[in-house]
Amino acid sequence: MNAMKVLHTIAARDWGGIACRVVDQALWTNRNGHECWLACPSDSAVAAGARRAGVPTIGFDFDRPFAPSTILALRHLVRRLDCQVIETHTGRCANAAMFCRDRAVVIRTRHTTQTVKPSLTRYLRWRMAWDWTIVTADVIAQDLLAAGLVPHSRLDVIGEWAAERFFDRSSWPVWRAETRQSLGVAEDDILVGSVGMLRPEKGFDHLLRAVATLSTRCPRLKTVIVGSAAGDAGWEHHLRSLASELGLDGRVIFTGYRSDVAPLLQALDLVAVPSTFEAQSRVIPEAFASARPVVASDVGGIGELVLDGVTGWLVPPASPESLSRVIASVYEDPGQALAIRTVAGRFATERLTIDAGMHAHMAVYEAAWACRRTSPFRHLVLSDLRSRAAPVNR
């Protein structure tokens, strides 16, 4: 195949790392001679964010993936778009898409390190329902292989990447000056920052406890947390209250959701990824591409990117003491941080570009298309159910 028509599907409603990655994929695909769409719930934050970014977006409800109306509506959409590839990014949309394998290649992309719960139906779906599996970290691949859920021959690891804007060195000095000014941070302050949804597993409470222990030792240390809560704002309130309880008023900045991550990273002297649960954080390749040093929890697939003492620092999860030691070392020894970020920047340039990631995706599409098999489920979609199919929301 030369030009491809690709449909991405997301059943989730909240904006997050998966949606960001898919938007990157769709924009790259459409810029490079192919056609690409995203199907997701029309009233979701995912749809709103994708449309703002310029991704052709189709409203689709995956809440009942096994309902005949959902299956027939998706089949109608695939036929109308004449797409050759469906790449699914969440469980419910993957379950619906498996009934379209007679019309397109179905790729199941898994973004989480959560273990697949054992059951016969899940085992059969993973073994038979999709043409190929992509995972975003090697640790996920090893888990699926150990459970016998996918054959090695139809499994590829394509990790996170950084978009082109993060590599734009010509903009870095201006971004740093303007962003620090907007945040009220002086140039001689040391600014530690984290980017992500405000959820417990992101570990921002551990970061706050870490910086609180350094108030006397590092008097010019400030912290910024970039992100918003998904749905319930209770955890955001908890973090703000915790910052006050720890005596960090005036030293911690909560920016809320920001789309200008590249300029924000330039304002930082250290990027912290204190997650207690993570596959491969998107912000790590972005920080590497921005030549910002990274300290991260040694969980999930993070160690596949952050090589301790080489491209960054790894610390145990939920360990404010370990975090504080690294933060203090960056504060007191900027030369060490410079050496780390130089190596990390080179690593990003060589291996973590969106071009590299998307060429890998295209190779998977080509391989899956080459060994395309007829869906064993096509006969389950009965013609007398067509009248009950829900119309595609546009």
Side-chain angles (χ1 to χ4, degrees):
M1 278 190 305
N2 293 314
M4 296 186 185
K5 295 181 178 181
V6 181
L7 175 66
H8 290 276
T9 63
I10 299 179
R13 295 176 178 273
D14 293 331
W15 184 262
I18 294 175
C20 289
R21 177 178 168 121
V22 173
V23 164
D24 278 352
Q25 288 183 249
L27 294 175
W28 187 98
T29 303
N30 285 329
R31 283 197 308 268
N32 284 272
H34 310 283
E35 291 184 76
C36 188
W37 303 265
L38 169 62
C40 60
S42 58
D43 59 348
S44 65
V46 173
R51 290 186 182 115
R52 281 195 304 269
V55 175
T57 304
I58 300 165
F60 200 99
D61 185 354
F62 291 100
D63 282 349
R64 299 170 61 234
F66 296 111
S69 58
T70 302
I71 294 166
L72 292 176
L74 185 57
R75 287 175 61 82
H76 171 75
L77 175 61
V78 171
R79 182 174 64 250
R80 178 168 64 82
L81 298 177
D82 190 29
C83 55
Q84 294 113 329
V85 177
I86 307 170
E87 185 173 350
T88 69
H89 298 272
T90 51
R92 279 173 293 162
C93 61
N95 289 337
M98 69 182 182
F99 295 97
C100 298
R101 280 182 56 200
D102 60 323
R103 297 193 180 278
V105 165
V106 178
I107 311 292
R108 173 69 162 99
T109 298
R110 187 164 176 83
H111 302 258
T112 177
T113 56
Q114 283 181 314
T115 300
V116 177
K117 296 178 181 178
S119 76
L120 179 59
T121 56
R122 287 192 182 92
Y123 175 81
L124 291 174
R125 284 202 298 271
W126 277 98
R127 292 293 300 185
M128 301 173 59
W130 306 296
D131 293 285
W132 214 276
T133 300
I134 293 173
V135 295
T136 58
D138 187 62
V139 66
I140 307 174
Q142 296 309 316
D143 195 35
L144 294 178
L145 290 169
L149 294 176
V150 295
H152 197 281
S153 60
R154 292 191 289 116
L155 173 66
D156 277 87
V157 180
I158 306 177
E160 301 293 351
W161 55 68
E164 293 98 330
R165 60 188 175 276
F166 292 92
F167 293 93
D168 183 10
R169 289 178 173 268
S170 64
S171 299
W172 289 357
V174 173
W175 283 349
R176 181 175 176 86
E178 291 181 349
T179 305
R180 283 196 161 227
Q181 183 178 29
S182 70
L183 294 174
V185 176
E187 183 52 40
D188 57 348
D189 287 336
I190 298 297
L191 186 61
V192 178
S194 288
V195 181
M197 302 294 288
L198 302 188
R199 297 191 294 233
E201 66 269 20
K202 292 299 182 182
F204 297 150
D205 51 335
H206 304 301
L207 175 62
L208 293 176
R209 295 183 190 281
V211 298
T213 66
L214 298 171
S215 297
T216 302
R217 184 176 176 182
C218 307
R220 298 204 65 85
L221 176 65
K222 291 189 175 179
T223 305
V224 60
I225 294 177
V226 180
S228 60
D232 182 13
W235 190 249
E236 179 176 357
H237 295 320
H238 169 74
L239 291 174
R240 289 179 180 274
S241 298
L242 178 62
S244 294
E245 292 168 13
L246 294 171
L248 294 174
D249 289 331
R251 301 184 65 187
V252 176
I253 304 160
F254 291 89
T255 70
Y257 172 75
R258 297 279 292 262
S259 60
D260 56 338
V261 176
L264 280 162
L265 288 179
Q266 283 304 316
L268 304 182
D269 298 294
L270 178 65
V271 178
V273 185
S275 305
T276 57
F277 178 85
E278 196 81 64
Q280 270 193 5
S281 171
R282 281 180 57 83
V283 78
I284 293 175
E286 293 170 349
F288 286 2
S290 305
R292 299 293 93 191
V294 172
V295 56
S297 299
D298 190 6
V299 297
I302 286 179
E304 297 167 28
L305 294 174
V306 180
L307 309 178
D308 191 36
V310 180
T311 60
W313 295 271
L314 287 175
V315 297
S319 176
E321 299 82 5
S322 300
L323 273 172
S324 66
R325 281 195 294 271
V326 173
I327 294 169
S329 72
V330 171
Y331 187 96
E332 296 167 349
D333 185 6
Q336 181 188 22
L338 176 61
I340 290 281
R341 66 188 179 94
T342 299
V343 175
R346 188 162 55 244
F347 179 68
T349 300
E350 294 171 354
R351 298 182 56 182
L352 302 178
T353 64
I354 187 171
D355 281 348
M358 287 306 301
H359 286 311
H361 270 275
M362 290 295 163
V364 168
Y365 297 166
E366 293 275 8
W369 183 262
C371 63
R372 182 172 180 250
R373 296 173 300 164
T374 302
S375 169
F377 303 102
R378 67 192 187 283
H379 298 302
L380 297 178
V381 184
L382 304 177
S383 59
D384 63 341
L385 294 177
R386 292 185 185 276
S387 62
R388 301 210 297 267
V392 176
N393 299 318
R394 300 189 66 184

